[in-house]
Amino acid sequence: MKPAAAMKAEKIDLQFPGQRDVLDIVDSLRSQGISQYVDLPQIVVCGDQSSGKSSVLEAISGMAFPTQDALCTRFATELVLRRSPSDKAQSVNVSIIAGSERSQKERDDLTAFSPDTEELNMGNIIEEAKNLMGLKGTNKVFCTDILRVEISSTNQPHLTLVDLPGLFLSGNKEQTIEDSKLVESLVLSYMEQPRSIILAVVSAKSEFALQQVTQRARERDPHGKRTLGLITKPDTLDEGSESERAYYELSQNKDVHFHLGWHVLRNRDFSTRDVSLAERDAIETTFFSKGIWASLSPMQLGVDALRKRLSQVLHNQILTHLPRVLLDIRSEVAGAKTALEKLGAARATPGEQRRYLLHVSNTFTALIKASVEGDYSNRLFFGDSSTGTGNRRRFRAQIQNTLTEFSKTMRARGHSTTIVESAEDALEDTTPKAVHRAKFLEGVSDIIRINRGRELPGTFNPLIVGELFSAQCQPWSEISKSYISQIFDSVRIVLLEAIEHVADADTASRLAAEILNPATATLEAGISDKLTELLRPHIEGHPITYNHYLTENLQKAQIARHKARIREALEGFFFSPSGQDLESVVPAQIISAITKATEPNMDNYASMAATETMEAYYKVALKNYVDDVSVLAVENCLVQRLPEIISTNAICDLDDEDVCRLAGESPETSAERVRLAEKIRVLEEGLERLKRLNRNQPICAT
């Protein structure tokens, strides 16, 4: 094959205003590695092996690509074409963009790749690149590195293409089924990027249904909005055959519909493999001037129209997605700056390490204090309240909600027994179990008899109330511990996420293990002791309160009991079968009926009084206990102490050995700082260029 310098193409007349500036900026960003962080608009050339992709690239660029049918492309190749002024000679630059998984040394070695481009033998260049990427003499068949070929000449279009390895199903001695899966994974990773235009190359030499590329394109682009179909080798179809008709209808967008439509290109065949590029184009023009293909639009036929079409498509894609790309870059910059801030300045000496820990302490304390006080204005940490992360980091809200549920649960299930007035409502299989009042009073009478002292008949030993109350509040301990456990779950989450937010991963892990976890365990033990202290007077002591609600509750209970008995007596007097005629009733009879409504049984009366006193006291004690747990235990013993967990005083008291162990920097951390700084530099430079482009171009927002 003749060298590329000997190949000449017709001059492309149509170029779009500002198109080169647009493509140059995006390509510059890609060459600096921004595509590792943000998806950039691009055209990816996809097809099955032997679909003619290499011939397509050769026709577009004028540069010879290896075309053997066996596997040759084992990585993505980025082809950057630019038109240069007429007085400039053709220039070629070949480089490698290292994959994100490469170490720094590997990156340096790949970046230093500078092959001889005098004769521009792509076969030799690809072999050199394979060797440097580690694809020769090893089990590694494919990699994520990108071979970048930049060509600038007077006959080039303004266009950038990414050529991907060809898809295949069956293996042979050079490629296995496992290799097939790796190729598919690489190709699909490019296809599924929402800003990539898919150039799906289909060979007319093979059955359409047997080629994977359109199926894969439709899976990744279901509506066909960003796919352009390209039919190659139409000259291999028998004129007038059903196969020719099928591919013709495909080119008309009648079979597989793509929003960008289809294009047809005639490739070199074996007999014309050595002709010049101009001769190749002339043969193609003659072929499309007759037969079934002559009825298609000229914009769908031939390499010249394809160059213009691809340039227009890429240009539009860039301008359409530019606003979103800007947003993504800003987001990546913010994330990288946050990560770099967490790493802090380089810290090789004890002094630098201590300063870093002091910075972490101050930032951590401020975050925890804000979370405790309900000040969620730090959006970087607290985020959106509708998300799980934002929700669990709002610690004051978590505490308020948990204690509100604690209060509800204590009112609903804090008592051992629910005393009901109707025998039908007495169900012992409920929680708390329901007991009819009459039956409950029988048990109280037994307790009164067993605990008689010097009290008069009809009264009760005051200690009885304490015994009844102690039995009634038995669930308090279990319920309290359950909700305290929930609160500490929230504590651990917010502390860990706060320290991970302000410190690098290694330091955060060490601080969590050596300071946060022990401090949390100490707080948990302290609040457990406080719960025991708060429960003891209720479980072991005798009732004490000076709250007037006790007498109010007791009087209300007694009045309700008297009213119920009086109503029952009067209903029996007036509405019984032997009830009195209203006209014959005298006041003395009514008074007599009411008098009978009193409780003559002194033991029953004492049991009712003791029970009502216990119930009245329980209501007062429950409110006090819930408040005590919330204020004296949770607030005083836990919440107010959280901001002090990593105090500056504690950092200052650490010796140099402890400081080094906590904040010492690993080689990986140093490398990460360099990587983040470089990422920020690249992204910010790219952002400035794109912002200028955004101001100067009409943008079609998506």
Side-chain angles (χ1 to χ4, degrees), residues 210-270:
L210 299 179
Q211 301 182 61
Q212 298 185 66
V213 65
T214 52
Q215 176 189 343
R216 297 292 182 245
R218 283 180 288 181
E219 290 171 354
R220 266 54 190 178
D221 180 26
H223 303 293
K225 292 185 176 179
R226 54 184 183 86
T227 302
L228 173 63
L230 178 60
I231 300 171
T232 63
K233 307 180 182 179
D235 52 309
T236 62
L237 298 169
D238 292 330
E239 189 172 350
S241 66
E242 291 184 5
S243 296
E244 184 184 55
R245 170 57 59 178
Y247 272 102
Y248 175 74
E249 291 182 354
L250 181 66
S251 69
Q252 290 183 308
N253 230 6
K254 291 181 179 180
D255 185 353
V256 177
H257 180 83
F258 292 140
H259 179 71
L260 298 176
W262 287 81
H263 200 92
V264 187
L265 194 70
R266 184 194 181 282
N267 299 66
R268 295 176 188 269
D269 55 25
F270 185 79

Coordinates of all heavy atoms in Angstrom, one line a residue, residues 210-270:
L210 N -26.9 -11.7 11.5 CA -25.8 -12.3 12.2 C -24.8 -11.4 12.8 O -23.8 -11.8 13.4 CB -25.1 -13.3 11.2 CG -25.9 -14.4 10.7 CD1 -25.1 -15.3 9.7 CD2 -26.5 -15.3 11.8
Q211 N -24.9 -10.1 12.5 CA -24.0 -9.1 13.0 C -24.5 -8.5 14.3 O -25.6 -8.0 14.4 CB -23.8 -8.0 11.9 CG -23.2 -8.6 10.6 CD -23.0 -7.6 9.5 OE1 -22.1 -6.7 9.7 NE2 -23.6 -7.7 8.4
Q212 N -23.6 -8.4 15.3 CA -23.9 -8.0 16.6 C -24.1 -6.5 16.8 O -24.9 -6.1 17.7 CB -22.8 -8.4 17.6 CG -22.6 -9.9 17.7 CD -21.5 -10.1 18.8 OE1 -21.8 -9.9 20.0 NE2 -20.4 -10.6 18.4
V213 N -23.5 -5.7 16.0 CA -23.3 -4.3 16.3 C -24.7 -3.6 16.4 O -24.9 -2.8 17.4 CB -22.4 -3.6 15.3 CG1 -23.0 -3.6 13.9 CG2 -22.1 -2.2 15.8
T214 N -25.6 -3.8 15.5 CA -26.9 -3.1 15.6 C -27.7 -3.5 16.8 O -28.4 -2.7 17.4 CB -27.7 -3.2 14.3 OG1 -27.8 -4.6 14.0 CG2 -27.0 -2.6 13.1
Q215 N -27.6 -4.8 17.1 CA -28.3 -5.3 18.3 C -27.8 -4.6 19.5 O -28.6 -4.1 20.4 CB -28.2 -6.8 18.4 CG -28.9 -7.3 19.7 CD -28.6 -8.8 19.9 OE1 -28.1 -9.5 19.0 NE2 -28.8 -9.3 21.1
R216 N -26.5 -4.5 19.7 CA -25.9 -3.9 20.8 C -26.2 -2.4 20.8 O -26.4 -1.8 21.9 CB -24.3 -4.1 20.8 CG -23.9 -5.6 20.9 CD -24.3 -6.1 22.3 NE -23.8 -7.5 22.4 CZ -24.7 -8.5 22.6 NH1 -26.0 -8.3 22.6 NH2 -24.2 -9.7 22.8
A217 N -26.2 -1.8 19.7 CA -26.5 -0.3 19.6 C -27.9 -0.1 20.1 O -28.2 0.9 20.8 CB -26.3 0.2 18.2
R218 N -28.8 -0.9 19.6 CA -30.2 -0.7 20.0 C -30.4 -1.0 21.5 O -31.3 -0.4 22.1 CB -31.1 -1.6 19.2 CG -31.4 -1.0 17.8 CD -32.3 -1.9 16.9 NE -31.6 -3.1 16.5 CZ -32.2 -4.1 15.8 NH1 -33.5 -3.9 15.4 NH2 -31.5 -5.2 15.5
E219 N -29.6 -1.8 22.1 CA -29.7 -2.1 23.5 C -29.3 -0.9 24.3 O -29.9 -0.5 25.3 CB -28.9 -3.3 23.9 CG -29.5 -4.6 23.4 CD -28.5 -5.8 23.7 OE1 -27.3 -5.5 24.1 OE2 -28.9 -6.9 23.4
R220 N -28.2 -0.2 23.8 CA -27.6 0.9 24.5 C -28.3 2.2 24.1 O -28.2 3.2 24.9 CB -26.1 1.0 24.3 CG -25.3 0.3 25.3 CD -25.6 -1.1 25.6 NE -25.0 -1.7 26.7 CZ -25.2 -2.9 27.2 NH1 -26.0 -3.7 26.5 NH2 -24.6 -3.4 28.2
D221 N -28.9 2.3 23.0 CA -29.6 3.5 22.5 C -31.0 3.0 22.0 O -31.2 3.0 20.8 CB -28.8 4.1 21.4 CG -29.4 5.4 20.8 OD1 -30.2 6.0 21.5 OD2 -29.2 5.7 19.6
P222 N -31.9 2.7 22.9 CA -33.2 2.0 22.5 C -34.0 2.8 21.5 O -34.7 2.2 20.7 CB -33.9 1.9 23.9 CG -32.9 2.0 24.9 CD -31.8 2.9 24.3
H223 N -33.9 4.1 21.6 CA -34.7 5.0 20.7 C -34.0 5.4 19.5 O -34.5 6.2 18.6 CB -35.2 6.2 21.5 CG -36.0 5.9 22.7 ND1 -37.3 5.2 22.6 CD2 -35.8 6.0 24.0 CE1 -37.7 5.1 23.9 NE2 -36.8 5.5 24.7
G224 N -32.7 5.0 19.3 CA -31.9 5.3 18.1 C -31.6 6.7 17.9 O -31.4 7.2 16.8
K225 N -31.6 7.5 19.0 CA -31.4 9.0 18.9 C -30.0 9.4 18.6 O -29.7 10.4 18.1 CB -31.9 9.7 20.2 CG -33.4 9.6 20.4 CD -33.8 10.4 21.6 CE -35.3 10.4 21.7 NZ -35.8 11.2 22.9
R226 N -29.0 8.5 19.0 CA -27.6 8.9 18.8 C -26.8 7.8 18.0 O -25.6 7.7 18.3 CB -27.0 9.2 20.2 CG -27.1 8.0 21.2 CD -26.6 8.4 22.6 NE -26.7 7.3 23.5 CZ -25.8 6.3 23.6 NH1 -24.7 6.3 22.9 NH2 -25.9 5.4 24.5
T227 N -27.5 7.1 17.1 CA -26.8 6.1 16.3 C -26.9 6.4 14.9 O -28.0 6.8 14.4 CB -27.4 4.7 16.6 OG1 -27.3 4.4 18.0 CG2 -26.7 3.6 15.8
L228 N -25.8 6.3 14.2 CA -25.7 6.5 12.7 C -25.3 5.1 12.1 O -24.2 4.7 12.5 CB -24.8 7.6 12.3 CG -24.5 7.8 10.8 CD1 -25.7 8.1 10.1 CD2 -23.4 8.9 10.6
G229 N -26.1 4.5 11.3 CA -25.7 3.3 10.7 C -24.8 3.5 9.4 O -25.1 4.4 8.7
L230 N -23.9 2.6 9.2 CA -23.0 2.7 8.1 C -22.9 1.3 7.4 O -22.4 0.4 8.0 CB -21.6 3.2 8.5 CG -20.5 3.3 7.4 CD1 -21.0 4.3 6.3 CD2 -19.2 3.7 8.0
I231 N -23.3 1.2 6.2 CA -23.2 0.0 5.4 C -22.0 0.0 4.5 O -21.7 0.9 3.8 CB -24.5 -0.2 4.5 CG1 -25.8 -0.2 5.4 CG2 -24.4 -1.4 3.7 CD1 -27.0 -0.1 4.5
T232 N -21.1 -1.0 4.7 CA -19.9 -1.1 3.9 C -20.0 -2.3 2.9 O -20.9 -3.2 3.1 CB -18.7 -1.3 4.8 OG1 -18.8 -2.6 5.5 CG2 -18.6 -0.2 5.8
K233 N -19.1 -2.3 2.0 CA -19.0 -3.4 1.0 C -20.3 -3.7 0.2 O -20.7 -4.9 0.0 CB -18.6 -4.7 1.7 CG -17.3 -4.6 2.5 CD -16.9 -5.8 3.2 CE -15.7 -5.6 4.1 NZ -15.2 -6.8 4.8
P234 N -21.0 -2.7 -0.2 CA -22.2 -2.9 -1.0 C -21.9 -3.5 -2.4 O -22.8 -4.1 -3.0 CB -22.8 -1.5 -1.2 CG -21.7 -0.6 -1.1 CD -20.7 -1.2 -0.1
D235 N -20.7 -3.4 -2.9 CA -20.3 -3.9 -4.2 C -20.2 -5.4 -4.2 O -20.1 -6.1 -5.2 CB -19.0 -3.3 -4.6 CG -17.9 -3.5 -3.5 OD1 -18.2 -3.1 -2.4 OD2 -16.8 -4.0 -3.9
T236 N -20.3 -6.1 -2.9 CA -20.2 -7.5 -2.9 C -21.6 -8.1 -3.1 O -21.7 -9.4 -3.2 CB -19.7 -8.0 -1.5 OG1 -20.5 -7.5 -0.5 CG2 -18.3 -7.4 -1.3
L237 N -22.6 -7.3 -3.1 CA -24.0 -7.8 -3.3 C -24.3 -8.0 -4.8 O -23.9 -7.2 -5.6 CB -25.0 -6.8 -2.7 CG -24.9 -6.5 -1.2 CD1 -25.8 -5.3 -0.8 CD2 -25.3 -7.8 -0.4
D238 N -24.9 -9.1 -5.1 CA -25.3 -9.4 -6.5 C -26.4 -8.4 -6.9 O -27.4 -8.2 -6.2 CB -25.8 -10.8 -6.7 CG -24.7 -11.8 -6.5 OD1 -23.6 -11.5 -6.8 OD2 -25.0 -12.9 -6.0
E239 N -26.2 -7.7 -8.1 CA -27.2 -6.7 -8.5 C -28.5 -7.4 -8.7 O -28.7 -8.4 -9.4 CB -26.7 -6.1 -9.8 CG -27.5 -4.9 -10.3 CD -26.9 -4.2 -11.4 OE1 -25.7 -4.5 -11.8 OE2 -27.5 -3.3 -12.0
G240 N -29.6 -6.8 -8.2 CA -30.9 -7.3 -8.3 C -31.3 -8.4 -7.4 O -32.5 -8.9 -7.4
S241 N -30.4 -8.8 -6.5 CA -30.7 -9.9 -5.5 C -31.5 -9.4 -4.4 O -31.7 -8.2 -4.1 CB -29.4 -10.5 -5.0 OG -28.7 -9.5 -4.2
E242 N -32.1 -10.4 -3.6 CA -32.9 -10.0 -2.5 C -32.0 -9.4 -1.4 O -32.4 -8.5 -0.7 CB -33.5 -11.3 -1.9 CG -34.7 -11.9 -2.8 CD -35.3 -13.1 -2.1 OE1 -35.0 -13.4 -1.0 OE2 -36.2 -13.7 -2.8
S243 N -30.8 -9.8 -1.3 CA -29.9 -9.3 -0.3 C -29.6 -7.8 -0.6 O -29.6 -6.9 0.3 CB -28.5 -10.0 -0.3 OG -28.7 -11.3 0.1
E244 N -29.4 -7.4 -1.9 CA -29.2 -6.1 -2.3 C -30.4 -5.2 -1.9 O -30.3 -4.1 -1.4 CB -28.9 -5.9 -3.8 CG -28.6 -4.5 -4.2 CD -28.4 -4.4 -5.7 OE1 -29.3 -4.8 -6.4 OE2 -27.3 -3.8 -6.1
R245 N -31.6 -5.8 -2.2 CA -32.9 -5.0 -1.9 C -33.0 -4.9 -0.4 O -33.4 -3.8 0.1 CB -34.1 -5.8 -2.4 CG -35.4 -5.4 -2.0 CD -35.7 -3.9 -2.3 NE -35.7 -3.7 -3.7 CZ -36.0 -2.5 -4.2 NH1 -36.3 -1.4 -3.4 NH2 -35.9 -2.3 -5.5
A246 N -32.6 -5.9 0.4 CA -32.7 -5.8 1.9 C -31.8 -4.7 2.4 O -32.2 -3.9 3.3 CB -32.4 -7.2 2.5
Y247 N -30.6 -4.7 1.9 CA -29.6 -3.6 2.4 C -30.0 -2.2 1.9 O -29.8 -1.2 2.6 CB -28.2 -4.0 2.0 CG -27.5 -4.8 3.0 CD1 -27.4 -6.2 2.8 CD2 -27.1 -4.3 4.2 CE1 -26.8 -7.0 3.8 CE2 -26.5 -5.1 5.2 CZ -26.3 -6.5 5.0 OH -25.7 -7.2 5.9
Y248 N -30.6 -2.2 0.7 CA -31.1 -0.9 0.2 C -32.2 -0.4 1.1 O -32.2 0.8 1.5 CB -31.6 -1.1 -1.2 CG -32.3 0.2 -1.8 CD1 -31.5 1.3 -2.2 CD2 -33.7 0.3 -1.9 CE1 -32.1 2.4 -2.7 CE2 -34.2 1.4 -2.4 CZ -33.4 2.5 -2.8 OH -34.0 3.6 -3.3
E249 N -33.2 -1.2 1.5 CA -34.3 -0.8 2.4 C -33.7 -0.4 3.8 O -34.2 0.5 4.5 CB -35.3 -1.9 2.5 CG -36.1 -2.1 1.2 CD -37.1 -3.2 1.4 OE1 -37.2 -3.8 2.4 OE2 -37.9 -3.4 0.4
L250 N -32.6 -1.1 4.2 CA -32.0 -0.8 5.5 C -31.4 0.6 5.4 O -31.6 1.4 6.3 CB -30.9 -1.8 5.8 CG -30.1 -1.6 7.1 CD1 -31.0 -1.8 8.3 CD2 -28.9 -2.5 7.2
S251 N -30.8 1.0 4.3 CA -30.2 2.3 4.1 C -31.3 3.4 4.1 O -31.0 4.5 4.4 CB -29.4 2.3 2.8 OG -30.2 2.3 1.7
Q252 N -32.5 3.0 3.7 CA -33.6 4.0 3.7 C -34.3 4.1 5.1 O -35.3 4.8 5.2 CB -34.7 3.6 2.7 CG -34.2 3.7 1.2 CD -35.3 3.4 0.2 OE1 -35.9 2.3 0.3 NE2 -35.6 4.3 -0.7
N253 N -33.7 3.5 6.1 CA -34.2 3.6 7.5 C -35.6 2.8 7.6 O -36.4 3.2 8.5 CB -34.4 5.0 7.9 CG -33.7 5.3 9.3 OD1 -33.1 4.4 9.8 ND2 -33.9 6.5 9.8
K254 N -35.8 1.8 6.8 CA -37.1 1.1 6.8 C -37.1 -0.1 7.7 O -38.1 -0.5 8.2 CB -37.5 0.8 5.4 CG -37.9 1.9 4.5 CD -38.3 1.4 3.1 CE -38.7 2.6 2.2 NZ -39.2 2.1 0.9
D255 N -35.9 -0.7 7.9 CA -35.8 -1.9 8.7 C -35.4 -1.5 10.1 O -36.3 -1.6 11.0 CB -34.8 -2.8 8.1 CG -34.7 -4.2 8.8 OD1 -35.4 -4.3 9.8 OD2 -34.0 -5.1 8.3
V256 N -34.2 -1.1 10.3 CA -33.8 -0.7 11.6 C -33.7 0.9 11.6 O -32.9 1.4 10.8 CB -32.4 -1.2 12.0 CG1 -31.9 -0.7 13.3 CG2 -32.5 -2.8 12.1
H257 N -34.6 1.5 12.4 CA -34.7 3.0 12.3 C -33.7 3.6 13.3 O -33.7 3.4 14.5 CB -36.1 3.4 12.6 CG -36.3 4.9 12.5 ND1 -36.5 5.6 11.3 CD2 -36.3 5.8 13.5 CE1 -36.6 6.9 11.6 NE2 -36.5 7.1 12.9
F258 N -32.9 4.5 12.7 CA -32.0 5.3 13.5 C -32.3 6.8 13.3 O -32.6 7.2 12.1 CB -30.5 5.1 13.2 CG -30.0 3.7 13.6 CD1 -29.1 3.0 12.8 CD2 -30.4 3.2 14.8 CE1 -28.7 1.8 13.2 CE2 -30.0 1.9 15.2 CZ -29.1 1.2 14.4
H259 N -32.3 7.6 14.3 CA -32.7 9.0 14.2 C -31.7 9.7 13.2 O -32.1 10.6 12.5 CB -32.6 9.7 15.6 CG -32.9 11.2 15.6 ND1 -34.2 11.7 15.3 CD2 -32.1 12.2 15.7 CE1 -34.1 13.0 15.4 NE2 -32.9 13.4 15.6
L260 N -30.4 9.3 13.3 CA -29.4 9.9 12.4 C -29.4 9.2 11.0 O -28.6 9.6 10.1 CB -28.1 9.8 13.1 CG -27.9 10.6 14.4 CD1 -26.6 10.4 15.0 CD2 -28.2 12.1 14.2
G261 N -30.2 8.2 10.8 CA -30.2 7.5 9.5 C -29.1 6.6 9.2 O -28.4 6.1 10.1
W262 N -28.9 6.3 7.9 CA -27.9 5.4 7.5 C -27.0 6.0 6.4 O -27.5 7.0 5.7 CB -28.5 4.1 6.9 CG -29.1 3.2 8.0 CD1 -30.3 3.3 8.6 CD2 -28.5 2.0 8.5 NE1 -30.5 2.3 9.5 CE2 -29.4 1.5 9.5 CE3 -27.3 1.4 8.3 CZ2 -29.1 0.4 10.2 CZ3 -27.0 0.3 9.0 CH2 -27.9 -0.2 10.0
H263 N -25.8 5.5 6.2 CA -24.9 5.9 5.1 C -24.3 4.7 4.5 O -24.3 3.6 5.1 CB -23.8 6.8 5.7 CG -23.1 7.7 4.7 ND1 -23.5 9.0 4.5 CD2 -22.1 7.4 3.9 CE1 -22.8 9.5 3.6 NE2 -21.9 8.6 3.2
V264 N -24.0 4.8 3.2 CA -23.4 3.7 2.5 C -22.0 4.1 1.9 O -21.8 5.2 1.4 CB -24.3 3.3 1.3 CG1 -23.8 2.0 0.7 CG2 -25.7 3.1 1.7
L265 N -21.1 3.2 2.1 CA -19.7 3.4 1.7 C -19.1 2.2 1.0 O -19.3 1.1 1.4 CB -18.8 3.7 3.0 CG -17.4 4.3 2.8 CD1 -17.6 5.8 2.3 CD2 -16.6 4.2 4.1
R266 N -18.4 2.5 -0.1 CA -17.8 1.4 -0.9 C -16.4 1.3 -0.5 O -15.6 2.2 -0.6 CB -17.9 1.6 -2.4 CG -17.3 0.4 -3.2 CD -17.1 0.7 -4.6 NE -16.6 -0.4 -5.4 CZ -15.3 -0.8 -5.4 NH1 -14.4 -0.2 -4.6 NH2 -15.0 -1.9 -6.1
N267 N -16.0 0.1 0.1 CA -14.6 -0.1 0.5 C -13.7 -0.5 -0.6 O -14.1 -0.9 -1.7 CB -14.5 -1.1 1.6 CG -15.4 -0.8 2.8 OD1 -16.6 -0.7 2.7 ND2 -14.7 -0.6 3.9
R268 N -12.4 -0.3 -0.4 CA -11.4 -1.0 -1.3 C -11.6 -2.5 -1.3 O -12.0 -3.1 -0.3 CB -10.0 -0.7 -0.9 CG -9.6 0.8 -0.9 CD -8.1 0.8 -0.3 NE -7.7 2.2 -0.1 CZ -7.0 2.9 -1.0 NH1 -6.7 2.3 -2.2 NH2 -6.6 4.1 -0.7
D269 N -11.4 -3.1 -2.4 CA -11.4 -4.6 -2.4 C -10.0 -5.0 -2.7 O -9.1 -4.2 -2.8 CB -12.4 -5.1 -3.4 CG -12.2 -4.6 -4.8 OD1 -11.0 -4.2 -5.1 OD2 -13.1 -4.6 -5.6
F270 N -9.7 -6.3 -2.8 CA -8.4 -6.8 -3.0 C -7.7 -6.3 -4.3 O -6.6 -6.0 -4.3 CB -8.4 -8.3 -3.0 CG -7.1 -9.0 -3.0 CD1 -6.3 -9.0 -1.9 CD2 -6.5 -9.4 -4.2 CE1 -5.0 -9.6 -2.0 CE2 -5.3 -10.0 -4.3 CZ -4.5 -10.1 -3.1

